[in-house]
Amino acid sequence: MTRVLVADDQPQIRGSFRLLVDSAPGCVAIGEAATGAEAVRLAERDRPDLVLMDVRMPVMDGIEATRLICAARPETRVLIVTTFDLDEYVYGALRAGAAGFMLKHTPAAELLKAIEVIASGESLLAPTATRRLIQQFVSSAPPAVERSRSLMSRAAERIRRPAPPPPLAITEREREVLVLVAKGLSNAEIAGQLYLSLSTVKTHVSHLLTKLDARSRIHLVIAAYEAGLV
């Protein structure tokens, strides 16, 4: 049974998501949070398997809440549910450890599928919205939400002062797989394009996650863009 915490500052949306979660076989909503701070507190107390996280909330936003939850409980998956597919705050949440994101107007069946995918340990990488989001922010200075000197800040400096990106410690085949992951291809599509078995592709992706210290497939995409592979 997948135990889900719903975090959104709008009561109607929280209620709708809770009803949706409870209607799905194998899922149960264990609580609701109206602020990021409440989400962090409930995640620590109730230990959900997954958190449906809004971005803009009072007291503490969803980005900081995601960072704290993922740092304290890596086994808890966070799925960002936001209004805009190019919202800069979503990028910050992905950097903080979120496993993926969906739009709030996503059809119910697709949202339930997203919950199933994230809860199973995979990441949700939308080939359109997610790629546009990552490409936009890897190729420019970071938004205000990343106040420290982050990897993205250094990426922006490299744009101002061109320099070759540091090489990745991966094999040539892993590099090919990484480029295709960054382009939004599924494992099955990568297998077909590279004439590999599905199990071999999964092994390469697993090795990439380990070598690049990536939490999820989404973070592999970020690594590929930051390394200049895409």
Side-chain angles (χ1 to χ4, degrees), residues 143-226:
V145 295
E146 296 195 13
R147 298 177 178 86
S148 63
R149 177 180 169 80
S150 63
L151 289 174
M152 290 303 300
S153 296
R154 292 194 287 274
E157 289 177 7
R158 287 199 299 272
I159 294 172
R160 292 192 293 269
R161 298 179 297 164
L168 298 177
I170 58 178
T171 68
E172 183 58 34
R173 178 61 83 185
E174 288 167 348
R175 185 181 300 270
E176 292 175 343
V177 172
L178 180 59
V179 168
L180 296 180
V181 167
K183 291 181 178 180
L185 273 67
S186 67
N187 286 346
E189 291 169 333
I190 294 172
Q193 185 156 329
L194 297 181
Y195 301 102
L196 300 172
S197 69
L198 183 57
S199 61
T200 297
V201 172
K202 289 181 178 179
T203 297
H204 285 313
V205 172
S206 178
H207 288 168
L208 285 167
L209 289 169
T210 300
K211 289 183 177 182
L212 301 181
D213 193 25
R215 178 182 173 88
S216 69
R217 198 179 183 94
I218 286 176
H219 298 92
L220 289 181
V221 178
I222 294 173
Y225 275 98
E226 290 184 336

Side-chain angles (χ1 to χ4, degrees), residues 52-200:
L52 290 181
M53 182 75 75
D54 186 22
V55 176
R56 296 185 177 96
M57 291 186 289
V59 182
M60 177 189 295
D61 63 32
I63 298 170
E64 180 65 8
T66 296
R67 186 186 70 80
L68 293 174
I69 290 172
C70 291
R73 288 188 49 78
E75 63 272 29
T76 294
R77 313 280 286 172
V78 178
L79 174 59
I80 298 297
V81 185
T82 185
T83 303
F84 305 106
D85 62 349
L86 289 178
D87 187 340
E88 66 272 20
Y89 291 106
V90 178
Y91 181 81
L94 297 178
R95 295 290 306 187
F101 79 89
M102 295 290 285
L103 300 179
K104 285 185 177 179
H105 58 70
T106 298
E110 292 183 23
L111 183 57
L112 288 176
K113 180 62 177 178
I115 292 172
E116 178 184 344
V117 169
I118 298 297
S120 71
E122 298 295 327
S123 297
L124 191 67
L125 180 62
T128 54
T130 304
R131 274 212 319 277
R132 292 202 312 272
L133 177 71
I134 293 170
Q135 188 170 23
Q136 175 181 350
F137 288 96
V138 170
S139 63
S140 63
V145 295
E146 296 195 13
R147 298 177 178 86
S148 63
R149 177 180 169 80
S150 63
L151 289 174
M152 290 303 300
S153 296
R154 292 194 287 274
E157 289 177 7
R158 287 199 299 272
I159 294 172
R160 292 192 293 269
R161 298 179 297 164
L168 298 177
I170 58 178
T171 68
E172 183 58 34
R173 178 61 83 185
E174 288 167 348
R175 185 181 300 270
E176 292 175 343
V177 172
L178 180 59
V179 168
L180 296 180
V181 167
K183 291 181 178 180
L185 273 67
S186 67
N187 286 346
E189 291 169 333
I190 294 172
Q193 185 156 329
L194 297 181
Y195 301 102
L196 300 172
S197 69
L198 183 57
S199 61
T200 297

